[in-house]
Amino acid sequence: MQMAMQNRLLEQKAFIDAYTGLPNKNACNELLNKKDIITDPTACIMFDLNNLKTVNDTMGHSAGDQLILNFAKLLRSVIPEKDFVGRYGGDEFIAVIYHTSEAEIKVILKSLYREKNRLNSYENQIPIDYACGWALSSDDMSGTMQMLLDEADAYMYKNKQLCKKYN
């Protein structure tokens, strides 16, 4: 019984980000490495925090850690529980929205933006800012989850460049 409990703890450590409580890069990769073709409308959203290095450099790494935790909580509070949210690496997060549509993704992203602005209105809050990109599988696109993420990542990178250009 004790061995089973230890195994469960080890498995949890292997797939859960200790700081945010979200699935970690291992869990994200396990999802992304499935070779199954996506058959239901599914969206992948890639998020990248803006200015984490600046926060770390000016306010310290504990402030940067707090920013990451706040963003993780923000994502989990807005994205439906049935869907996947994971910390892909450092300041990158992914969400996979199952059985969805373009309209639903836009509603989720608008809700996320509104909630971010609400949180940022608190004075002692480290401002959250992010770039994101998303891709939606469709009838004419037969691909894997990794292909969907790659497309979302490309759009996120374009969004990140626009954010830098206008800031």
Side-chain angles (χ1 to χ4, degrees):
M1 175 120 151
Q2 189 175 6
M3 182 71 93
M5 212 157 51
Q6 284 179 330
N7 284 342
R8 201 170 326 123
L9 282 172
L10 285 173
E11 187 174 311
Q12 187 177 18
K13 284 182 179 182
F15 291 103
I16 300 295
D17 178 59
Y19 193 69
T20 64
L22 293 177
N24 65 13
K25 185 161 179 95
N26 290 337
C28 293
N29 284 335
E30 192 166 283
L31 175 70
L32 295 170
N33 289 334
K34 291 181 179 174
K35 300 299 179 200
D36 303 339
I37 299 298
I38 300 168
T39 55
D40 291 324
T42 302
C44 185
I45 310 171
M46 184 77 173
F47 298 95
D48 187 279
L49 281 171
N50 293 335
N51 304 319
L52 179 63
K53 181 179 179 350
T54 302
V55 169
N56 282 337
D57 290 350
T58 60
M59 301 171 76
H61 286 274
S62 61
D65 288 346
Q66 188 61 51
L67 178 60
I68 288 168
L69 182 60
N70 291 347
F71 188 64
K73 288 179 180 178
L74 171 65
L75 289 176
R76 196 65 275 180
S77 73
V78 171
I79 294 173
E81 194 63 38
K82 69 176 178 62
D83 298 315
F84 179 88
V85 176
R87 185 175 179 194
Y88 192 58
D91 63 350
E92 293 182 328
F93 295 80
I94 64 170
V96 177
I97 315 298
Y98 300 100
H99 312 290
T100 193
S101 65
E102 182 174 340
E104 183 182 0
I105 297 305
K106 288 180 177 179
V107 166
I108 289 170
L109 291 174
K110 279 183 184 175
S111 295
L112 188 66
Y113 186 76
R114 277 194 307 270
E115 184 62 11
K116 172 198 69 120
N117 286 341
R118 188 187 72 74
L119 289 172
N120 284 347
S121 69
Y122 295 117
E123 285 183 31
N124 56 357
Q125 167 82 24
I126 301 165
I128 296 172
D129 190 29
Y130 61 88
C132 72
W134 60 276
L136 177 67
S137 67
S138 61
D139 296 335
D140 61 339
M141 180 193 147
S142 60
T144 63
M145 194 63 75
Q146 182 64 55
M147 292 166 70
L148 200 57
L149 176 75
D150 291 345
E151 188 177 344
D153 191 42
Y155 287 123
M156 185 275 302
Y157 183 73
K158 287 179 184 174
N159 182 248
K160 187 102 175 154
Q161 295 307 311
L162 281 174
C163 289
K164 285 181 180 178
K165 183 178 179 179
Y166 292 107
N167 285 333

